[in-house]
Amino acid sequence: MKGLGVAIIGSGSAVPTQILTNQDLSRLVETSDEWIESRTGMKKRHLSTGESLSQLAARAAIEALTMASLVPMEIDLLVLATSTPDDLFGSACQVQQLIGATRAVAFDLTAACSGFVFALVTVSQFIRQGVYKNVLVIGADVLSRWVDWGDRTTCVLFADGAGAVVCQASSTEDRLLGFEMCSDGSQNGSLNLAYQGISKNLLDNLTVTTGTYQTISMKGKEVYRFAIEKVPEVIEKALYRANLNTADIDWLILHQANQRIIDAIAERLEIPREKVISNIAKYGNTSAASIPLALDEAVRQGKISPRDTIAVSGFGAGLTWGAAIFQWF
Ligand code: UT7
């Protein structure tokens, strides 16, 4: 079974039905449609009312399975990239149960907005080793749960959604052409969702801390600078490993954090605008979901054709960043 390649054979996505526009946000905090659109490229975003993270992820997964012409029972491994699970112990098993992938081993992977890329690379190692054949990779987040809805510097950015791909072992070719992943914990304070415990005395000389998580906190300018500097580098490294250069990229799909970031990175890499996929105007920043959501939309719109070379790159909290180069099936 050794020496297998990875093929991505299906994609799917899901967003909640409820929509929050820039105008709506201007009724919540001191902001304007003009500010949000000119600074971020966002016009609206989808927010979950009651749909859980697991339900959103399951909807995206079912779509991806349908495109891949597989039934849930054929899935061997399910990895859910999320920072907003329904259950702190993980939500992948709930997704496994919801879609009926009863044979699959399922676990969560947390790498914030880099989660989808990190999950794709992780599952590829199992596939290449011949351990698992059919694998679901899901990126899903319900960031609306953790946003401070009174903080205009963050609440206009984040939203909810899910995207998924099906990866399959191939004995004939390897369509994951190259990847690179990076982390820098020294910049953790630039973007986080920290736990804050309160000291609680249980017995004499026995204390624990109990509490909950805070809301998303971000130093926007720092993260902006980090993304523009590091993302072109990591894409170039992944291209180098793939023995390709930027001219070989048919489509660039970046984490949808800010249209200005997307434009600046594409410009640095000298990738023309028509090769850059963006749907940030409609969905905002959906964290781990943003790349598979943009990928799936472009596939369903017929933009992406068989054998097109796609560069994806995620970046965000951790800080983490990574890129993968693959060919569509
Ligand atoms: O997904 C994880 C990765 N995340 C990112 O990559 C996000 C990276 N950062 C960004 O995208 C941008 O830094 C932001 C969109 C968050 C902010 O854009 P900016 O151009 O860096 O604005 P800024 O933070 O420098 O703020 C400019 C001004 C400030 O006012 P003063 O100090 O110039 O008077 C802010 O107080 O805009 C003000 N401001 C707002 N005004 C209206 C900040 N947020 C808002 C708002 N509406 N929502």
Side-chain angles (χ1 to χ4, degrees):
M1 280 279 274
K2 282 214 170 186
L4 292 170
V6 181
I8 299 175
I9 60 165
S11 65
S13 59
V15 288
T17 49
Q18 182 177 238
I19 289 174
L20 178 75
T21 64
N22 291 352
Q23 282 84 0
D24 295 332
L25 277 162
S26 69
R27 290 164 53 209
L28 275 179
V29 287
E30 205 183 319
T31 191
S32 64
D33 177 38
E34 197 281 326
W35 192 96
I36 301 170
E37 201 184 335
S38 63
R39 299 281 179 141
T40 70
M42 298 172 189
K43 293 184 186 166
K44 56 180 182 172
R45 66 285 291 143
H46 291 247
L47 302 183
S48 173
T49 25
E51 196 174 18
S52 68
L53 183 280
S54 310
Q55 287 167 330
L56 261 180
R59 278 209 280 137
I62 292 288
E63 274 199 3
L65 284 170
T66 306
M67 190 186 288
S69 302
L70 290 181
V71 294
M73 279 289 283
E74 290 175 283
I75 293 297
D76 305 301
L77 168 67
L78 184 162
V79 176
L80 173 65
T82 188
S83 308
T84 54
D86 298 323
D87 181 335
L88 203 49
F89 291 149
S91 287
C93 297
Q94 283 169 273
V95 179
Q96 179 231 38
Q97 190 267 331
L98 282 171
I99 66 173
T102 46
R103 282 185 50 250
V105 59
F107 60 86
D108 288 26
L109 183 151
T110 308
C113 305
S114 310
F116 176 76
V117 173
F118 281 28
L120 183 66
V121 171
T122 301
V123 306
S124 296
Q125 309 315 309
F126 286 112
I127 291 174
R128 285 178 172 166
Q129 289 297 314
V131 179
Y132 299 119
K133 184 176 176 213
N134 294 316
V135 180
L136 253 174
V137 180
I138 309 169
D141 269 305
V142 179
L143 291 170
S144 61
R145 289 173 170 171
W146 299 106
V147 162
D148 174 353
W149 288 101
D151 175 8
R152 69 175 184 173
T153 67
T154 51
C155 77
V156 302
L157 306 172
F158 299 110
D160 307 337
V165 295
V166 177
C167 299
Q168 189 170 61
S170 164
S171 54
T172 53
E173 56 188 341
D174 194 353
R175 301 250 182 132
L176 177 66
L177 308 174
F179 66 83
E180 183 78 16
M181 300 188 289
C182 307
S183 307
D184 179 4
S186 73
Q187 294 190 68
N188 186 257
S190 301
L191 174 54
N192 61 9
L193 209 177
Y195 172 78
Q196 195 177 57
I198 297 167
S199 181
K200 186 179 162 79
N201 227 49
L202 296 183
L203 295 168
D204 285 346
N205 301 324
L206 195 80
T207 309
V208 290
T209 54
T210 61
T212 185
Y213 289 86
Q214 303 297 292
T215 48
I216 297 171
S217 148
M218 181 171 72
K219 294 177 185 140
K221 278 232 178 299
E222 281 178 19
V223 181
Y224 190 100
R225 276 195 291 269
F226 142 78
I228 286 172
E229 186 193 334
K230 296 294 184 188
V231 174
E233 267 176 34
V234 84
I235 293 173
E236 275 170 346
K237 281 183 184 158
L239 280 167
Y240 175 77
R241 297 196 192 290
N243 211 12
L244 296 174
N245 55 54
T246 46
D248 298 310
I249 296 175
D250 294 305
W251 301 105
L252 177 68
I253 308 180
L254 301 177
H255 166 48
Q256 308 283 297
N258 187 324
Q259 189 59 46
R260 289 189 294 144
I261 294 179
I262 296 172
D263 293 343
I265 292 168
E267 197 177 315
R268 251 183 213 205
L269 292 169
E270 296 182 10
I271 295 174
R273 211 167 256 264
E274 47 300 352
K275 290 186 172 183
V276 180
I277 288 169
S278 168
N279 62 6
I280 194 170
K282 291 192 286 181
Y283 302 111
N285 180 344
T286 57
S287 194
S290 87
I291 293 172
L293 189 58
L295 171 72
D296 183 53
E297 198 172 77
V299 166
R300 286 173 197 275
Q301 286 167 348
K303 276 189 186 172
I304 294 175
S305 306
R307 298 208 162 267
D308 277 357
T309 300
I310 304 167
V312 296
S313 181
F315 52 90
L319 297 179
T320 55
W321 62 107
I325 318 290
F326 59 88
Q327 254 184 353
W328 193 240
F329 72 98

